[in-house]
């Protein structure tokens, strides 16, 4: 179900984003992990301090910023707008680099914008692609899409340190 106008999805190519980086930036990023935080009030259990800590722990994972695809062997930037910091750096140190990488990866020449039509089927690989729904439609209209995710290999680890 689609709104009359808008509600597209944008995809960026992590392979190309990585390939277009300078050799110096590639060297800087080698071995860095980004802390992905996927928490909101729907995912956190506030029933007790212990449950809050336990559910908060499950919403934080550190993933390599440069990921080697397990099937193709190619390197790609593995980013998300939910990265809060880089492991081993403070948020203040991390933010400029994260912003730089996100701006680089989402440049127009690296992005495909899909304009949805009824009965579309789009398949992408989350291991080398970032995607984002564009909230440019009348929110009183329904935008409903079905999604299936295939579980893949683990690429990161649960991040248990402070985000400060």
């Amino acid at each position: 179900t689609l709104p009359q106008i808008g509600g597209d999805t944008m995809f960026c190519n992590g392979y190309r984003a990585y390939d277009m980086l300078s050799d110096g930036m590639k060297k800087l990023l080698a071995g860095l992990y980004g802390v992905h935080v996927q928490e909101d009030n729907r995912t956190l259990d506030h029933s007790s301090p212990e449950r809050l800590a336990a559910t908060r722990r499950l919403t934080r994972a550190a993933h390599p910023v440069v990921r080697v695809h397990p099937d193709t062997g190619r390197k790609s930037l593995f980013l998300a707008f939910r990265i809060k910091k880089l492991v081993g750096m403070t948020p203040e140190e991390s933010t400029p680099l994260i912003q730089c990488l996100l701006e680089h990866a989402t440049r127009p020449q690296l992005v495909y914008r899909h304009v949805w039509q009824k009965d579309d089927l789009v398949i992408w690989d989350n291991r080398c692609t970032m995607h984002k729904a564009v909230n440019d439609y009348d929110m009183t209209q329904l935008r409903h899409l079905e999604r299936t995710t295939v579980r893949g290999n683990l690429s990161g680890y649960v991040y248990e340190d402070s985000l400060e």
Side-chain angles (χ1 to χ4, degrees):
T1 307
L2 301 167
Q4 292 177 340
I5 298 171
D8 305 342
T9 302
M10 297 177 73
F11 300 89
C12 74
N13 184 327
Y15 288 141
R16 288 194 61 215
Y18 178 79
D19 291 343
M20 293 174 69
L21 292 172
S22 68
D23 290 340
M25 182 61 81
K26 289 176 184 177
K27 186 176 178 180
L28 175 69
L29 298 177
L32 282 182
Y33 278 68
V35 179
H36 297 242
V37 178
Q38 192 164 353
E39 64 185 41
D40 57 39
N41 281 328
R42 294 175 295 157
T43 58
L44 297 177
D45 182 346
H46 294 272
S47 62
S48 72
E50 296 79 20
R51 291 297 308 145
L52 180 60
T55 54
R56 179 163 279 140
R57 181 179 173 272
L58 295 174
T59 64
R60 297 177 180 179
H63 293 279
V65 173
V66 176
R67 185 171 177 180
V68 178
H69 195 286
D71 296 323
T72 67
R74 289 183 67 191
K75 291 181 179 180
S76 70
L77 283 182
F78 189 66
L79 303 170
F81 288 97
R82 295 176 187 247
I83 294 177
K84 299 301 179 200
K85 67 175 253 174
L86 300 170
V87 174
M89 296 183 191
T90 67
E92 294 78 21
E93 294 167 334
S94 303
T95 298
L97 182 53
I98 293 167
Q99 275 306 120
C100 175
L101 293 171
L102 288 170
E103 288 173 14
H104 168 74
T106 57
R107 295 184 336 204
Q109 62 266 40
L110 299 176
V111 173
Y112 164 69
R113 183 175 181 144
H114 186 77
V115 179
W116 292 101
Q117 297 179 40
K118 187 169 174 40
D119 299 324
D120 274 357
L121 172 67
V122 176
I123 298 173
W124 67 92
D125 188 335
N126 266 348
R127 298 171 292 184
C128 55
T129 309
M130 261 196 323
H131 69 282
K132 179 181 180 178
V134 181
N135 293 325
D136 63 347
Y137 60 96
D138 180 349
M139 296 294 178
T140 64
Q141 296 181 5
L142 186 61
R143 178 187 188 268
H144 178 83
L145 295 93
E146 295 290 331
R147 175 179 169 174
T148 298
T149 303
V150 177
R151 180 169 289 179
N153 303 352
L154 293 177
S155 69
Y157 59 91
V158 173
Y159 185 78
E160 298 192 48
D161 292 338
S162 169
L163 291 176
E164 270 94 76

